[in-house]
Amino acid sequence: MRNIDHFIGGAAYASGERTSDVFDPNNGVVQAQVRLGTAADLQKAMDNALKAQPAWAATNPQRRARVMFNFKALVEQNMDELAHLLSSEHGKVIADAKGDIQRGLEVIEFSCGIPHALKGEYTQGAGPGIDVFSMRQPLGVVAGITPFNFPGMIPMWMFGVAIACGNAFILKPSERDPSVPVRLAQLMQEAGLPDGILQVVNGDKEMVDAILDHEDIKAVSFVGSSDIAHYVYKRGVAAGKRVQAMGGAKNHGIVMPDADLDQVVNDLSGAAFGSAGERCMALPVVVPVGDKTANALREKLIPAIEKLRVGVSTDAEAHYGPVVNAAHKQKVENYIQMGVDEGAELVVDGRGFTLQGHEKGFFVGPTLFDHVKPTMQSYQEEIFGPVLQIVRADSFEEAVRLPSDHQYGNGVAIFTRNGHAAREFAARVNVGMVGINVPIPVPVAYHTFGGWKRSAYGDINQHGMEGVRFWTKTKTVTQRWPDGSVTGENAFVIPTMG
Ligand code: NAD
């Protein structure tokens, strides 16, 4: 059985009595064991990071950017290998796996421009002979804890910006699909990154707690489910760290009566079911405004859903592959049963789906519910599977209220031809990222990513200039250079070392 080691000090590090199974979701078999590290393993990484970080911070930003340029080229050269590795542990189809890596690479591209982003502010003549300037300095050693669903993109969101800013970064990826993060760290080393600046410690809660409690880790970025995000936020802040902790989601797509329904159905096929619904920016709730819109949408959705092809992740024709593991498949199917028990109408049932030759794979067929009510638990909670729920709204006002009142506030979309309705919606909805006729409004890398309410704890978002702010601290210098003409007791004397 293959072991997945840590990547510490520029080399594989095989430590850890405990291990966790990494599955091949297409076949339901264990394909590797990942080591679950301890506080002692983290300390080994910390020793390297603390030693290496000052010289990296002192390396000029253009040289740091050059490593990012090299890394980008290496990832592009190795795209096929990375996408297959990602897909083999996660289960998303190859095209989605490439998209996962590509969206992360866009943050690396942003990081290639770090010299520009780190330029501070300057005021000449803030007072007589006085100038004020600010500089952004790295925090030191920082850490990221990432979820299973984007094992390429989310680590790159974090370490791309953090490392370009001059920090040493310790990554604790999901134990469910840790191979791509380890491979990315190897490629960063190949790109010229000094040993100790990017290290990967594998593990579970024990490693997360060790990170949160370590006094030399200055900031922690977390992405995962909301209860754990909240826990990480509280424990990290209590330990004096800067923490951003992104959580779960339940994104709504509002369909106005004037929307192009064919376009909406096409968009929903990707946004609700793509990657088996395991995306924090998926669109698992659709809110048609008015029964006429709802009936017309439903009529078009059913045949589109029935046409979706579920297949193994290497099937180039497949729309989506298996979910990540058996426990998650069970959880999704339990939510489908909950919806039935709560009285929602199950229009298309994806339970019990099997793929010939892959009977043990973790597949869930596409599922559609209609007449879902806001009081239902299956609506209020995140399912994170290929399940689309229709919640009918009577009016635009109700359509604004539904996502605004929901516990999660990651993303939302409105489909309409009416600019005024779209503009009002974007201004009023209580959600962090809004799409107007864009089903998955993940902002580009030079803007910033972050939800509201239980979808994010902490104030500063991922990537873009917010990322630079998160991974640096600002120092402001007020300077005066006397001309030497002042004499007597007002004379400026340069202190000398005795
Ligand atoms: P998860 O919360 O189970 O795991 C995330 C990380 O936390 C992993 O590294 C895991 O090892 C660690 N962890 C798990 N249990 C822990 C515990 N008890 N204590 C401390 N750490 C623990 O999340 P997941 O299932 O890997 O990912 C899916 C979730 O992530 C979904 O809720 C999804 O919406 C969310 N997500 C959010 C965003 C966003 O930007 N808001 C992006 C992607 C995914």
Side-chain angles (χ1 to χ4, degrees), residues 197-226:
I197 299 299
L198 176 57
Q199 302 177 92
V200 182
V201 291
N202 286 307
D204 55 6
K205 178 172 167 37
E206 184 177 340
M207 183 58 86
V208 171
D209 288 347
I211 289 171
L212 295 173
D213 295 344
H214 201 296
E215 61 178 15
D216 289 327
I217 294 179
K218 300 299 177 199
V220 173
S221 179
F222 173 91
V223 178
S225 51
S226 288

PDB file of all heavy atoms in Angstrom, residues 197-226:
ATOM      1  N   ILE A 197      10.268  26.848   3.213  1.00  0.00           N
ATOM      2  CA  ILE A 197       9.315  27.959   2.992  1.00  0.00           C
ATOM      3  C   ILE A 197       7.921  27.429   2.676  1.00  0.00           C
ATOM      4  O   ILE A 197       6.925  28.060   3.005  1.00  0.00           O
ATOM      5  CB  ILE A 197       9.828  28.925   1.898  1.00  0.00           C
ATOM      6  CG1 ILE A 197      11.162  29.531   2.318  1.00  0.00           C
ATOM      7  CG2 ILE A 197       8.822  30.030   1.586  1.00  0.00           C
ATOM      8  CD1 ILE A 197      11.101  30.353   3.600  1.00  0.00           C
ATOM      9  N   LEU A 198       7.826  26.274   2.047  1.00  0.00           N
ATOM     10  CA  LEU A 198       6.511  25.631   1.884  1.00  0.00           C
ATOM     11  C   LEU A 198       6.636  24.182   2.334  1.00  0.00           C
ATOM     12  O   LEU A 198       7.392  23.402   1.738  1.00  0.00           O
ATOM     13  CB  LEU A 198       6.041  25.684   0.419  1.00  0.00           C
ATOM     14  CG  LEU A 198       4.721  24.947   0.141  1.00  0.00           C
ATOM     15  CD1 LEU A 198       3.579  25.463   1.014  1.00  0.00           C
ATOM     16  CD2 LEU A 198       4.335  25.061  -1.333  1.00  0.00           C
ATOM     17  N   GLN A 199       5.935  23.845   3.382  1.00  0.00           N
ATOM     18  CA  GLN A 199       5.975  22.473   3.902  1.00  0.00           C
ATOM     19  C   GLN A 199       4.540  21.961   4.064  1.00  0.00           C
ATOM     20  O   GLN A 199       3.620  22.754   4.299  1.00  0.00           O
ATOM     21  CB  GLN A 199       6.701  22.441   5.235  1.00  0.00           C
ATOM     22  CG  GLN A 199       8.139  22.999   5.121  1.00  0.00           C
ATOM     23  CD  GLN A 199       8.855  23.031   6.451  1.00  0.00           C
ATOM     24  OE1 GLN A 199       9.543  22.091   6.814  1.00  0.00           O
ATOM     25  NE2 GLN A 199       8.680  24.111   7.181  1.00  0.00           N
ATOM     26  N   VAL A 200       4.405  20.648   3.936  1.00  0.00           N
ATOM     27  CA  VAL A 200       3.076  20.047   4.073  1.00  0.00           C
ATOM     28  C   VAL A 200       3.099  19.084   5.254  1.00  0.00           C
ATOM     29  O   VAL A 200       3.942  18.176   5.298  1.00  0.00           O
ATOM     30  CB  VAL A 200       2.667  19.291   2.785  1.00  0.00           C
ATOM     31  CG1 VAL A 200       1.263  18.705   2.936  1.00  0.00           C
ATOM     32  CG2 VAL A 200       2.733  20.211   1.578  1.00  0.00           C
ATOM     33  N   VAL A 201       2.217  19.317   6.205  1.00  0.00           N
ATOM     34  CA  VAL A 201       2.059  18.377   7.315  1.00  0.00           C
ATOM     35  C   VAL A 201       0.681  17.738   7.170  1.00  0.00           C
ATOM     36  O   VAL A 201      -0.328  18.431   7.133  1.00  0.00           O
ATOM     37  CB  VAL A 201       2.217  19.072   8.686  1.00  0.00           C
ATOM     38  CG1 VAL A 201       3.649  19.510   8.922  1.00  0.00           C
ATOM     39  CG2 VAL A 201       1.286  20.269   8.833  1.00  0.00           C
ATOM     40  N   ASN A 202       0.653  16.442   7.030  1.00  0.00           N
ATOM     41  CA  ASN A 202      -0.639  15.766   6.894  1.00  0.00           C
ATOM     42  C   ASN A 202      -1.201  15.458   8.267  1.00  0.00           C
ATOM     43  O   ASN A 202      -0.458  15.318   9.241  1.00  0.00           O
ATOM     44  CB  ASN A 202      -0.464  14.480   6.078  1.00  0.00           C
ATOM     45  CG  ASN A 202      -0.273  14.799   4.612  1.00  0.00           C
ATOM     46  OD1 ASN A 202      -1.089  15.519   4.024  1.00  0.00           O
ATOM     47  ND2 ASN A 202       0.798  14.313   4.003  1.00  0.00           N
ATOM     48  N   GLY A 203      -2.525  15.355   8.320  1.00  0.00           N
ATOM     49  CA  GLY A 203      -3.103  15.020   9.612  1.00  0.00           C
ATOM     50  C   GLY A 203      -4.575  15.338   9.693  1.00  0.00           C
ATOM     51  O   GLY A 203      -5.205  15.709   8.702  1.00  0.00           O
ATOM     52  N   ASP A 204      -5.087  15.184  10.919  1.00  0.00           N
ATOM     53  CA  ASP A 204      -6.501  15.447  11.182  1.00  0.00           C
ATOM     54  C   ASP A 204      -6.612  16.469  12.314  1.00  0.00           C
ATOM     55  O   ASP A 204      -5.742  17.338  12.450  1.00  0.00           O
ATOM     56  CB  ASP A 204      -7.238  14.135  11.469  1.00  0.00           C
ATOM     57  CG  ASP A 204      -6.577  13.347  12.609  1.00  0.00           C
ATOM     58  OD1 ASP A 204      -5.632  13.871  13.234  1.00  0.00           O
ATOM     59  OD2 ASP A 204      -7.012  12.208  12.874  1.00  0.00           O
ATOM     60  N   LYS A 205      -7.603  16.323  13.151  1.00  0.00           N
ATOM     61  CA  LYS A 205      -7.840  17.309  14.220  1.00  0.00           C
ATOM     62  C   LYS A 205      -6.600  17.520  15.091  1.00  0.00           C
ATOM     63  O   LYS A 205      -6.300  18.646  15.497  1.00  0.00           O
ATOM     64  CB  LYS A 205      -9.034  16.845  15.072  1.00  0.00           C
ATOM     65  CG  LYS A 205      -9.341  17.776  16.235  1.00  0.00           C
ATOM     66  CD  LYS A 205     -10.634  17.377  16.906  1.00  0.00           C
ATOM     67  CE  LYS A 205     -10.876  18.023  18.245  1.00  0.00           C
ATOM     68  NZ  LYS A 205     -10.456  19.377  18.418  1.00  0.00           N
ATOM     69  N   GLU A 206      -5.871  16.439  15.361  1.00  0.00           N
ATOM     70  CA  GLU A 206      -4.682  16.559  16.227  1.00  0.00           C
ATOM     71  C   GLU A 206      -3.688  17.566  15.629  1.00  0.00           C
ATOM     72  O   GLU A 206      -3.141  18.423  16.344  1.00  0.00           O
ATOM     73  CB  GLU A 206      -4.032  15.172  16.383  1.00  0.00           C
ATOM     74  CG  GLU A 206      -2.870  15.187  17.337  1.00  0.00           C
ATOM     75  CD  GLU A 206      -2.252  13.793  17.547  1.00  0.00           C
ATOM     76  OE1 GLU A 206      -2.924  12.759  17.272  1.00  0.00           O
ATOM     77  OE2 GLU A 206      -1.085  13.751  17.979  1.00  0.00           O
ATOM     78  N   MET A 207      -3.473  17.475  14.324  1.00  0.00           N
ATOM     79  CA  MET A 207      -2.538  18.407  13.669  1.00  0.00           C
ATOM     80  C   MET A 207      -3.127  19.817  13.614  1.00  0.00           C
ATOM     81  O   MET A 207      -2.417  20.808  13.812  1.00  0.00           O
ATOM     82  CB  MET A 207      -2.195  17.894  12.263  1.00  0.00           C
ATOM     83  CG  MET A 207      -1.186  18.752  11.538  1.00  0.00           C
ATOM     84  SD  MET A 207       0.398  18.918  12.422  1.00  0.00           S
ATOM     85  CE  MET A 207       1.266  17.468  11.853  1.00  0.00           C
ATOM     86  N   VAL A 208      -4.430  19.902  13.359  1.00  0.00           N
ATOM     87  CA  VAL A 208      -5.078  21.225  13.315  1.00  0.00           C
ATOM     88  C   VAL A 208      -4.911  21.916  14.676  1.00  0.00           C
ATOM     89  O   VAL A 208      -4.529  23.092  14.760  1.00  0.00           O
ATOM     90  CB  VAL A 208      -6.571  21.095  12.924  1.00  0.00           C
ATOM     91  CG1 VAL A 208      -7.303  22.427  13.102  1.00  0.00           C
ATOM     92  CG2 VAL A 208      -6.702  20.609  11.483  1.00  0.00           C
ATOM     93  N   ASP A 209      -5.161  21.175  15.749  1.00  0.00           N
ATOM     94  CA  ASP A 209      -5.028  21.772  17.083  1.00  0.00           C
ATOM     95  C   ASP A 209      -3.585  22.189  17.356  1.00  0.00           C
ATOM     96  O   ASP A 209      -3.335  23.245  17.961  1.00  0.00           O
ATOM     97  CB  ASP A 209      -5.524  20.789  18.153  1.00  0.00           C
ATOM     98  CG  ASP A 209      -7.044  20.652  18.136  1.00  0.00           C
ATOM     99  OD1 ASP A 209      -7.707  21.484  17.474  1.00  0.00           O
ATOM    100  OD2 ASP A 209      -7.571  19.723  18.777  1.00  0.00           O
ATOM    101  N   ALA A 210      -2.636  21.374  16.916  1.00  0.00           N
ATOM    102  CA  ALA A 210      -1.223  21.721  17.132  1.00  0.00           C
ATOM    103  C   ALA A 210      -0.897  23.036  16.410  1.00  0.00           C
ATOM    104  O   ALA A 210      -0.190  23.900  16.951  1.00  0.00           O
ATOM    105  CB  ALA A 210      -0.330  20.581  16.636  1.00  0.00           C
ATOM    106  N   ILE A 211      -1.452  23.204  15.209  1.00  0.00           N
ATOM    107  CA  ILE A 211      -1.226  24.449  14.454  1.00  0.00           C
ATOM    108  C   ILE A 211      -1.847  25.629  15.192  1.00  0.00           C
ATOM    109  O   ILE A 211      -1.231  26.679  15.377  1.00  0.00           O
ATOM    110  CB  ILE A 211      -1.813  24.319  13.026  1.00  0.00           C
ATOM    111  CG1 ILE A 211      -0.965  23.338  12.197  1.00  0.00           C
ATOM    112  CG2 ILE A 211      -1.911  25.679  12.338  1.00  0.00           C
ATOM    113  CD1 ILE A 211      -1.564  22.969  10.846  1.00  0.00           C
ATOM    114  N   LEU A 212      -3.101  25.431  15.635  1.00  0.00           N
ATOM    115  CA  LEU A 212      -3.817  26.548  16.274  1.00  0.00           C
ATOM    116  C   LEU A 212      -3.153  26.988  17.577  1.00  0.00           C
ATOM    117  O   LEU A 212      -3.214  28.154  17.945  1.00  0.00           O
ATOM    118  CB  LEU A 212      -5.273  26.151  16.542  1.00  0.00           C
ATOM    119  CG  LEU A 212      -6.111  25.896  15.284  1.00  0.00           C
ATOM    120  CD1 LEU A 212      -7.483  25.343  15.668  1.00  0.00           C
ATOM    121  CD2 LEU A 212      -6.266  27.176  14.468  1.00  0.00           C
ATOM    122  N   ASP A 213      -2.500  26.029  18.251  1.00  0.00           N
ATOM    123  CA  ASP A 213      -1.919  26.344  19.555  1.00  0.00           C
ATOM    124  C   ASP A 213      -0.457  26.776  19.466  1.00  0.00           C
ATOM    125  O   ASP A 213       0.097  27.239  20.460  1.00  0.00           O
ATOM    126  CB  ASP A 213      -2.028  25.114  20.481  1.00  0.00           C
ATOM    127  CG  ASP A 213      -3.490  24.783  20.785  1.00  0.00           C
ATOM    128  OD1 ASP A 213      -4.357  25.645  20.539  1.00  0.00           O
ATOM    129  OD2 ASP A 213      -3.762  23.656  21.243  1.00  0.00           O
ATOM    130  N   HIS A 214       0.157  26.628  18.300  1.00  0.00           N
ATOM    131  CA  HIS A 214       1.602  26.907  18.217  1.00  0.00           C
ATOM    132  C   HIS A 214       1.849  28.410  18.253  1.00  0.00           C
ATOM    133  O   HIS A 214       1.388  29.158  17.399  1.00  0.00           O
ATOM    134  CB  HIS A 214       2.198  26.306  16.942  1.00  0.00           C
ATOM    135  CG  HIS A 214       3.682  26.134  17.063  1.00  0.00           C
ATOM    136  ND1 HIS A 214       4.534  27.193  17.202  1.00  0.00           N
ATOM    137  CD2 HIS A 214       4.452  25.018  17.102  1.00  0.00           C
ATOM    138  CE1 HIS A 214       5.772  26.746  17.313  1.00  0.00           C
ATOM    139  NE2 HIS A 214       5.746  25.416  17.254  1.00  0.00           N
ATOM    140  N   GLU A 215       2.626  28.851  19.233  1.00  0.00           N
ATOM    141  CA  GLU A 215       2.755  30.315  19.412  1.00  0.00           C
ATOM    142  C   GLU A 215       3.554  30.990  18.314  1.00  0.00           C
ATOM    143  O   GLU A 215       3.448  32.217  18.136  1.00  0.00           O
ATOM    144  CB  GLU A 215       3.318  30.647  20.793  1.00  0.00           C
ATOM    145  CG  GLU A 215       4.690  30.079  21.053  1.00  0.00           C
ATOM    146  CD  GLU A 215       5.225  30.496  22.434  1.00  0.00           C
ATOM    147  OE1 GLU A 215       4.414  30.971  23.270  1.00  0.00           O
ATOM    148  OE2 GLU A 215       6.422  30.327  22.657  1.00  0.00           O
ATOM    149  N   ASP A 216       4.343  30.236  17.557  1.00  0.00           N
ATOM    150  CA  ASP A 216       5.143  30.877  16.499  1.00  0.00           C
ATOM    151  C   ASP A 216       4.408  30.940  15.156  1.00  0.00           C
ATOM    152  O   ASP A 216       4.958  31.454  14.184  1.00  0.00           O
ATOM    153  CB  ASP A 216       6.474  30.135  16.321  1.00  0.00           C
ATOM    154  CG  ASP A 216       7.391  30.385  17.507  1.00  0.00           C
ATOM    155  OD1 ASP A 216       7.313  31.500  18.073  1.00  0.00           O
ATOM    156  OD2 ASP A 216       8.144  29.475  17.887  1.00  0.00           O
ATOM    157  N   ILE A 217       3.203  30.407  15.086  1.00  0.00           N
ATOM    158  CA  ILE A 217       2.416  30.545  13.851  1.00  0.00           C
ATOM    159  C   ILE A 217       1.559  31.795  13.998  1.00  0.00           C
ATOM    160  O   ILE A 217       0.743  31.906  14.912  1.00  0.00           O
ATOM    161  CB  ILE A 217       1.561  29.288  13.590  1.00  0.00           C
ATOM    162  CG1 ILE A 217       2.496  28.101  13.299  1.00  0.00           C
ATOM    163  CG2 ILE A 217       0.607  29.513  12.402  1.00  0.00           C
ATOM    164  CD1 ILE A 217       1.787  26.794  13.035  1.00  0.00           C
ATOM    165  N   LYS A 218       1.781  32.754  13.108  1.00  0.00           N
ATOM    166  CA  LYS A 218       1.198  34.085  13.306  1.00  0.00           C
ATOM    167  C   LYS A 218      -0.188  34.235  12.679  1.00  0.00           C
ATOM    168  O   LYS A 218      -0.945  35.118  13.080  1.00  0.00           O
ATOM    169  CB  LYS A 218       2.131  35.156  12.720  1.00  0.00           C
ATOM    170  CG  LYS A 218       3.513  35.159  13.363  1.00  0.00           C
ATOM    171  CD  LYS A 218       3.404  35.458  14.849  1.00  0.00           C
ATOM    172  CE  LYS A 218       4.754  35.389  15.550  1.00  0.00           C
ATOM    173  NZ  LYS A 218       4.628  35.222  16.995  1.00  0.00           N
ATOM    174  N   ALA A 219      -0.487  33.448  11.665  1.00  0.00           N
ATOM    175  CA  ALA A 219      -1.807  33.574  11.022  1.00  0.00           C
ATOM    176  C   ALA A 219      -2.229  32.211  10.489  1.00  0.00           C
ATOM    177  O   ALA A 219      -1.382  31.399  10.084  1.00  0.00           O
ATOM    178  CB  ALA A 219      -1.752  34.587   9.882  1.00  0.00           C
ATOM    179  N   VAL A 220      -3.531  31.985  10.496  1.00  0.00           N
ATOM    180  CA  VAL A 220      -4.082  30.729   9.980  1.00  0.00           C
ATOM    181  C   VAL A 220      -5.232  31.046   9.034  1.00  0.00           C
ATOM    182  O   VAL A 220      -6.135  31.812   9.371  1.00  0.00           O
ATOM    183  CB  VAL A 220      -4.603  29.819  11.123  1.00  0.00           C
ATOM    184  CG1 VAL A 220      -5.331  28.606  10.558  1.00  0.00           C
ATOM    185  CG2 VAL A 220      -3.459  29.356  12.015  1.00  0.00           C
ATOM    186  N   SER A 221      -5.148  30.464   7.850  1.00  0.00           N
ATOM    187  CA  SER A 221      -6.266  30.544   6.917  1.00  0.00           C
ATOM    188  C   SER A 221      -6.899  29.158   6.875  1.00  0.00           C
ATOM    189  O   SER A 221      -6.198  28.148   6.732  1.00  0.00           O
ATOM    190  CB  SER A 221      -5.750  30.935   5.534  1.00  0.00           C
ATOM    191  OG  SER A 221      -6.831  30.978   4.625  1.00  0.00           O
ATOM    192  N   PHE A 222      -8.211  29.119   7.018  1.00  0.00           N
ATOM    193  CA  PHE A 222      -8.925  27.834   7.021  1.00  0.00           C
ATOM    194  C   PHE A 222     -10.043  27.888   5.995  1.00  0.00           C
ATOM    195  O   PHE A 222     -10.726  28.905   5.859  1.00  0.00           O
ATOM    196  CB  PHE A 222      -9.540  27.583   8.409  1.00  0.00           C
ATOM    197  CG  PHE A 222     -10.441  26.371   8.443  1.00  0.00           C
ATOM    198  CD1 PHE A 222      -9.938  25.119   8.766  1.00  0.00           C
ATOM    199  CD2 PHE A 222     -11.798  26.483   8.139  1.00  0.00           C
ATOM    200  CE1 PHE A 222     -10.769  23.999   8.775  1.00  0.00           C
ATOM    201  CE2 PHE A 222     -12.633  25.370   8.148  1.00  0.00           C
ATOM    202  CZ  PHE A 222     -12.111  24.131   8.471  1.00  0.00           C
ATOM    203  N   VAL A 223     -10.251  26.793   5.284  1.00  0.00           N
ATOM    204  CA  VAL A 223     -11.447  26.633   4.449  1.00  0.00           C
ATOM    205  C   VAL A 223     -12.003  25.243   4.716  1.00  0.00           C
ATOM    206  O   VAL A 223     -11.267  24.248   4.668  1.00  0.00           O
ATOM    207  CB  VAL A 223     -11.135  26.812   2.950  1.00  0.00           C
ATOM    208  CG1 VAL A 223     -12.403  26.583   2.119  1.00  0.00           C
ATOM    209  CG2 VAL A 223     -10.586  28.210   2.656  1.00  0.00           C
ATOM    210  N   GLY A 224     -13.294  25.159   5.006  1.00  0.00           N
ATOM    211  CA  GLY A 224     -13.917  23.858   5.279  1.00  0.00           C
ATOM    212  C   GLY A 224     -15.360  24.078   5.692  1.00  0.00           C
ATOM    213  O   GLY A 224     -15.983  25.070   5.298  1.00  0.00           O
ATOM    214  N   SER A 225     -15.893  23.168   6.501  1.00  0.00           N
ATOM    215  CA  SER A 225     -17.297  23.292   6.888  1.00  0.00           C
ATOM    216  C   SER A 225     -17.437  24.300   8.034  1.00  0.00           C
ATOM    217  O   SER A 225     -16.473  24.580   8.756  1.00  0.00           O
ATOM    218  CB  SER A 225     -17.838  21.917   7.283  1.00  0.00           C
ATOM    219  OG  SER A 225     -16.967  21.323   8.217  1.00  0.00           O
ATOM    220  N   SER A 226     -18.646  24.815   8.222  1.00  0.00           N
ATOM    221  CA  SER A 226     -18.817  25.978   9.112  1.00  0.00           C
ATOM    222  C   SER A 226     -18.554  25.696  10.585  1.00  0.00           C
ATOM    223  O   SER A 226     -17.969  26.534  11.270  1.00  0.00           O
ATOM    224  CB  SER A 226     -20.222  26.559   8.955  1.00  0.00           C
ATOM    225  OG  SER A 226     -20.316  27.196   7.717  1.00  0.00           O
TER     226      SER A 226
END
